[in-house]
Amino acid sequence: MNIILLGPPGAGKGTQAAMLMNRYNIPQISTGEILRAAVQNQSLMGLKAKEYMDAGDLVPDEVVVGIVRERLQADDCDGGFILDGFPRTLPQADALKQSLEELNMPLDAVVSLQVETDVLVERLTGRRTCRSCGKVYHLQYDPPAQNNTCSCGGKLEQRDDDCEETIRNRMQVYHQQTAPLEDYYRDANLLSVIDGMAEISDVHEQIILTLQNC
Ligand code: AP5
Ligand code: MG
Ligand code: ZN
């Protein structure tokens, strides 16, 4: 099962990718998470990426294309993968196409999650992430059992780019640079559009139904 999850910031890509990962036992490849880890480790790549991420802009294509190309060659991708947050530009989509052809890993589906903008902003401002294990919560829609604490015991924190000004720019960047990928994958006969406004478990079921028909 080789899948791409497409959708604006806050659409639920990470939430759904984690559920699909458990269900199909295939890895979630989130370029955002890989970049945030690089920032935390203060690697050269992380130091360069941080400026873009803090502004809500995209990190240059060649950086993320290299990350994904390498990641796809790891053994755990043999049974499939879920790309979350990649590709995000047409050049990234072209580069991915080439990598997947070389690796003989054809895409099965591109799932696009549709959510209205006001709901996205609400989701992003209420999101909390575990510092230890990365699990994602929402203060209202998916609250932790214990205040500010993950089920693993880790402390929950807010992402640096989840402030209102940066969120606004991320939305704009999405519409300008990433939204055209819907047509790109529709033309390739791979696109499935899913209503991402439903409850988390209902969205998951819709995605499963869609994937069963691929
Ligand atoms: P990235 O980490 O990919 O962020 P994003 O695309 O902005 O998406 P988010 O992670 O914010 O949202 P999501 O769709 O995963 O939603 P989630 O499931 O968490 O990228 C960050 C930055 O890294 C970029 O700005 C860029 O700088 C850089 N970058 C990354 N990839 C790049 C690339 N390919 N090229 C260049 N630069 C790149 O859900 C959000 C909240 O809503 C959570 O609290 C969740 O609990 C809640 N929620 C989820 N689903 C539902 C539901 N159905 N109902 C109610 N609440 C829900
Ligand atoms: Mg995410
Ligand atoms: Zn945790």
Side-chain angles (χ1 to χ4, degrees):
M1 194 72 84
N2 301 335
I3 313 163
I4 293 176
L5 289 183
L6 201 63
K13 302 182 295 295
T15 303
Q16 295 299 328
M19 295 170 87
L20 292 171
M21 178 172 77
N22 291 335
R23 179 137 184 169
Y24 293 117
N25 200 21
I26 52 176
Q28 166 190 12
I29 303 177
S30 159
T31 40
E33 277 180 20
I34 294 170
L35 291 167
R36 276 187 291 280
V39 170
Q40 207 161 21
N41 297 335
Q42 297 190 307
S43 69
L44 194 60
M45 182 177 80
L47 293 172
K48 279 192 202 155
K50 186 172 173 12
E51 256 175 72
Y52 296 98
M53 296 174 80
D54 283 349
D57 290 328
L58 295 182
V59 172
D61 288 336
E62 56 274 20
V63 176
V64 280
V65 163
I67 293 176
V68 173
R69 190 193 293 269
E70 199 182 307
R71 182 65 186 84
L72 286 170
Q73 294 177 58
D75 290 347
D76 65 343
C77 292
D78 286 352
F81 56 80
I82 307 150
L83 281 170
D84 156 10
F86 182 94
R88 263 171 141 100
T89 63
L90 289 168
Q92 288 181 23
D94 284 333
L96 176 67
K97 187 165 185 268
Q98 201 188 332
S99 295
L100 294 177
E101 272 167 13
E102 282 165 17
L103 297 167
N104 195 20
M105 296 168 124
L107 277 177
D108 294 301
V110 177
V111 174
S112 176
L113 300 171
Q114 308 281 307
V115 178
E116 286 166 15
T117 304
D118 340 346
V119 175
L120 293 172
V121 175
E122 222 190 2
R123 286 189 185 176
L124 292 174
T125 47
R127 172 167 58 190
R128 296 293 182 273
T129 309
C130 174
R131 189 187 283 182
S132 308
C133 75
K135 189 167 158 41
V136 173
Y137 294 86
H138 190 281
L139 292 180
Q140 198 179 335
Y141 307 124
D142 190 10
Q146 207 188 333
N147 218 356
N148 225 26
T149 309
C150 179
S151 54
C152 83
K155 190 173 177 296
L156 301 185
E157 59 187 14
Q158 200 165 7
R159 248 167 67 176
D160 286 345
D161 60 348
D162 278 347
C163 62
E164 215 167 311
E165 200 189 327
T166 311
I167 290 173
R168 221 170 294 131
N169 190 42
R170 285 161 62 202
M171 298 290 178
Q172 208 172 353
V173 166
Y174 177 81
H175 288 295
Q176 285 168 351
Q177 303 196 51
T178 310
L181 293 184
E182 284 209 343
D183 282 338
Y184 180 97
Y185 287 117
R186 191 176 285 117
D187 291 347
N189 243 330
L190 287 166
L191 188 77
S192 296
V193 175
I194 298 271
D195 174 14
M197 301 273 287
E199 278 186 26
I200 293 173
S201 55
D202 292 339
V203 176
H204 177 66
E205 286 310 316
Q206 281 306 312
I207 296 175
I208 297 297
L209 284 176
T210 299
L211 294 177
Q212 279 166 355
N213 292 324
C214 285

